[in-house]
Amino acid sequence: MKSPFFFRAILLISLLYAPSHRAEFLEMATDAGLDFKHENGNEGELWTVEIVGAGVGILDFDNDGRLDIWAVQGGPLRTADSVRTGDRLFRNVTTSENLLFEDVTEISGVQATGYGMGIASADIDNDGDTDVFLANFGANQLFENVGNGRFVDITEKAGLAGGEWSIGASFADIDADGLLDLYVVNYLQFALEEGKVCRNYSSRTTYCGPQNYAPSTDQLYRNLGNGHFENVTELSGIGQSSGRGMGVVARDFNGDGRIDFFVANDAGENFLWLNQDAGRFEDKALLSGAALNVYGIAEASMGVAVADYDRDGDLDVFLTHDVKESNTLYVNDGCGWFDDQSSVSGLATSSIPFTGFGNGWIDIDGDSDLDLFSANGAVTIIESQRTAGFEPPLRQRNQLWRNDGLGMFHEVVSEVAFNRLDVSRGAAFGDLDNDGDTDIVVTNNNGLATLFRNDAHSSNWLGVDLFNTDAHRHAIGASAWREANAREVRYVATDGGYASAHDHRLRFSLPNDPSDQFVHVRWADGRIERYGPLAPNRYHLLSSSTSDDKPPHSNRRTAPEPKAAAARCVRNAARTD
């Protein structure tokens, strides 16, 4: 029998002669009309809050099939003599190959004048359009989309204002009642009047780290319908722990059919809240190996990105961290254990000089392998930049890693668009021009927003937009896979990364098979349906069936489900017993 090294060598040789797939991004915010500059409220006090925000959202708020952009704004921290300009909403008005956006903030009714941090998007009332939650330093806001391109602030009615320093949020149906509930991740217990003075190694003042402030408790709200939410933080068990939360993702991490939450905590152990049933949660991060890195050290976790990048039927986690700490790749074995494979995957060394915030798994080059992006910017003053007069003196370049399909990642240092120096924070991912590849919008602290259009031009692709006729518009919690490749599962979600909201649609690259495709969908309630044939190089709106009625192109009876890793665990446990 030939050794595994023989087959690996053959695969490497085949890759040398395979068609090349490249990534080529063009920064075009100005040309596209994305005229937005973030304001951090700097007054020379070096308040920690001024360097943390902000995120950005990509969403189709008017249901015209084109993704719009919601830019989260900071502004003056003391508003006695100043007025905040507020968030901006940009409508996608692209009519040709050139991206174009127009500012529709005023006519849309958006009045988001809090000191903004993050954004979460979902259809909270099952009326077919996208609503928006804003996490702020101070009172949060909930905007109901009432159709015709307009929003109404229903924060008071919903009971979601809070009062903590919130960073981000995630919508998910924790109790399978068809209504999306809300997890809000909170950061530090910080007040401007209680600001501390911190110094670096040379005794010069710098921004204080998170360890200088007490952690906060995240909040969990159950959706009661009709725009009302109930705070179930204590009842759910979430209130038993506090942390310095910066990122949150809702997925089923252990394959039991219930929604869990992974929370990235800054300078503390991460949380893995596993749903025990009826909306009660227990933190299993430490036991599962995801609370700390491989050396048993808590890191400065900021962004959290989740995907089944190795196609083994379970969800893996990628976290961004502070400078001198490598980013972390937790590989899920499907049996409740996570293995820190940051070093062996090639992701550790290249990330050590950077501080990462927004991150995401994306196929940058159309080869169907999931690659990685990180939006970077320091949180400790870089003395050479302070001397040169940069404001804020925290600038770094962003990073992109290509997945070679063999379990290794290689940084793409030749990508010119990402070599500019900014203080990048939020990053939102989506196909802004509907050409089948993923574009990136990045917000920069106290700087201009950047829009990176992906010009990889993959030859063939297939897009699906899942519409759950029984519940919420974007079928959050559903997943899909192609019949030709059941191991390549994509999950419907808008959360993840850092303080940002993303394109809910699913895309599959077809590097070797441009023919018509069949797609299988597993809806959030467990139903599995088959759709097709679907023509490539376009998006298809796929609706779920109701009762025994089959949706268009559906064949439920012949829709096999991918073999989940959780099933392997059950079999292994049985053998052990």
Side-chain angles (χ1 to χ4, degrees):
M1 179 180 290
K2 295 182 175 65
S3 71
F5 298 102
F6 173 83
F7 294 103
R8 186 178 180 90
I10 293 297
L11 181 56
L12 286 171
I13 294 172
S14 66
L15 289 173
L16 292 175
Y17 293 95
S20 62
H21 300 277
R22 62 187 177 86
E24 183 177 319
F25 288 85
L26 175 66
E27 202 293 303
M28 56 172 306
T30 300
D31 293 340
L34 182 58
D35 183 16
F36 177 80
K37 182 178 181 181
H38 178 261
E39 302 171 5
N40 68 9
N42 171 37
E43 296 182 15
E45 301 287 345
L46 298 183
W47 289 313
T48 301
V49 65
E50 72 190 47
I51 62 170
V52 175
V56 60
I58 289 179
L59 68 161
D60 181 6
F61 80 93
D62 52 3
N63 286 338
D64 66 352
R66 294 174 295 190
L67 294 175
D68 314 296
I69 298 173
W70 186 306
V72 179
Q73 182 60 283
L77 281 160
R78 290 188 285 211
T79 58
D81 302 317
S82 304
V83 177
R84 296 188 181 121
T85 58
D87 296 3
R88 310 306 295 175
L89 178 60
F90 296 88
R91 182 170 179 260
N92 190 334
V93 294
T94 302
T95 56
S96 63
E97 293 184 357
N98 295 321
L99 273 175
L100 187 61
F101 294 86
E102 66 176 6
D103 191 330
V104 294
T105 309
E106 278 71 30
I107 63 175
S108 69
V110 173
Q111 296 183 8
T113 55
Y115 190 91
M117 285 287 154
I119 179 173
S121 64
D123 181 5
I124 65 165
D125 46 11
N126 296 340
D127 64 351
D129 47 35
T130 302
D131 311 294
V132 170
F133 174 82
L134 299 176
N136 296 325
F137 175 61
N140 301 319
Q141 287 182 281
L142 177 67
F143 284 92
E144 179 188 2
N145 189 332
V146 295
N148 298 318
R150 291 190 58 80
F151 289 89
V152 174
D153 187 340
I154 62 167
T155 309
E156 184 176 354
K157 170 186 174 182
L160 295 178
E164 304 287 334
W165 177 359
S166 301
I167 295 288
S170 174
F171 284 104
D173 187 359
I174 62 173
D175 48 11
D177 65 351
L179 296 171
L180 292 175
D181 312 294
L182 179 66
Y183 189 110
V184 180
V185 61
N186 293 325
Y187 192 37
L188 309 176
Q189 296 183 30
F190 174 90
L192 297 180
E193 59 273 15
E194 299 174 359
K196 303 177 184 291
V197 177
C198 295
R199 301 182 183 277
N200 61 17
Y201 58 88
S202 62
S203 297
R204 299 194 67 179
T205 56
T206 188
Y207 291 102
C208 291
Q211 301 92 333
N212 291 275
Y213 302 96
S216 293
T217 301
D218 298 339
Q219 301 292 304
L220 182 63
Y221 299 90
R222 183 171 178 263
N223 190 339
L224 303 178
N226 299 317
H228 295 278
F229 287 77
E230 175 190 11
N231 192 325
V232 294
T233 304
E234 297 303 324
L235 182 65
S236 66
I238 300 295
Q240 296 179 1
S241 300
S242 59
R244 302 175 181 90
M246 301 199 85
V248 57
V249 167
R251 301 287 190 278
D252 178 7
F253 285 97
N254 58 356
D256 64 356
R258 295 188 288 262
I259 292 297
D260 314 304
F261 294 101
F262 191 105
V263 178
N265 286 320
D266 189 5
E269 296 180 5
N270 302 313
F271 296 148
L272 177 57
W273 293 109
L274 295 185
N275 194 335
Q276 302 302 303
D277 199 8
R280 181 162 182 82
F281 294 82
E282 292 183 8
D283 178 21
K284 300 293 186 179
L286 187 61
L287 179 64
S288 68
L292 309 167
N293 68 10
V294 69
Y295 304 107
I297 299 173
E299 297 175 291
S301 303
M302 268 81 91
V304 50
V306 173
D308 181 14
Y309 90 95
D310 51 5
R311 305 179 187 180
D312 64 351
D314 50 44
L315 292 166
D316 311 296
V317 180
F318 177 69
L319 297 175
T320 49
H321 298 298
D322 198 0
V323 66
K324 297 182 181 179
E325 299 174 343
S326 71
N327 294 337
T328 306
L329 174 63
Y330 291 108
V331 177
N332 189 345
D333 74 346
C335 300
W337 297 95
F338 287 87
D339 182 21
D340 182 349
Q341 296 188 10
S342 311
S343 294
V344 297
S345 66
L347 289 168
T349 303
S350 58
S351 64
I352 288 176
F354 300 91
T355 296
F357 277 80
N359 59 346
W361 295 95
I362 59 174
D363 180 5
I364 62 173
D365 47 13
D367 65 354
S368 79
D369 292 321
L370 291 178
D371 312 292
L372 282 168
F373 173 85
S374 175
N376 298 330
V379 292
T380 301
I381 289 177
I382 301 172
E383 290 301 333
S384 60
Q385 293 186 15
R386 173 153 54 182
T387 302
F390 288 104
E391 181 53 48
L394 306 168
R395 304 187 181 198
Q396 296 179 332
R397 65 173 176 85
N398 297 326
Q399 289 179 285
L400 189 69
W401 292 272
R402 178 180 279 109
N403 182 347
D404 67 2
L406 303 173
M408 292 293 294
F409 291 84
H410 307 274
E411 187 180 1
V412 185
V413 295
S414 60
E415 191 57 55
V416 177
F418 300 143
N419 287 334
R420 55 185 291 164
L421 297 180
D422 282 305
V423 189
S424 296
R425 294 297 184 247
F429 305 92
D431 185 1
L432 295 172
D433 47 7
N434 288 334
D435 67 349
D437 49 33
T438 302
D439 311 297
I440 308 172
V441 179
V442 176
T443 48
N444 300 298
N445 185 280
N446 220 48
L448 295 172
T450 46
L451 191 164
F452 300 106
R453 189 184 70 193
N454 189 339
D455 287 339
H457 299 299
S458 57
S459 56
N460 292 285
W461 56 279
L462 181 66
V464 295
D465 185 354
L466 302 185
F467 182 94
N468 194 334
T469 53
D470 294 332
H472 38 87
R473 168 71 170 88
H474 296 145
I476 288 177
S479 58
W481 59 94
R482 291 191 302 123
E483 188 170 278
N485 188 355
R487 298 181 65 186
E488 186 181 340
V489 182
R490 298 285 187 258
Y491 299 84
V492 180
T494 61
D495 62 0
Y498 174 77
S500 298
H502 314 280
D503 188 355
H504 65 278
R505 301 172 301 177
L506 307 180
R507 286 176 296 281
F508 299 91
S509 297
L510 310 176
N512 301 314
D513 185 5
S515 61
D516 289 355
Q517 298 290 319
F518 285 89
V519 170
H520 302 271
V521 176
R522 185 183 192 277
W523 299 98
D525 61 6
R527 290 176 298 163
I528 302 173
E529 295 174 323
R530 180 177 185 256
Y531 300 79
L534 303 177
N537 303 321
R538 55 163 293 192
Y539 286 95
H540 299 266
L541 181 63
L542 305 182
S543 300
S544 64
S545 64
T546 58
S547 64
D548 291 330
D549 296 330
K550 296 178 182 178
H553 310 296
S554 173
N555 187 341
R556 190 187 313 171
R557 298 174 184 172
T558 60
E561 185 173 10
K563 295 180 179 179
R568 298 198 305 266
C569 300
V570 173
R571 291 194 298 270
N572 292 339
R575 292 193 188 101
T576 301
D577 295 339

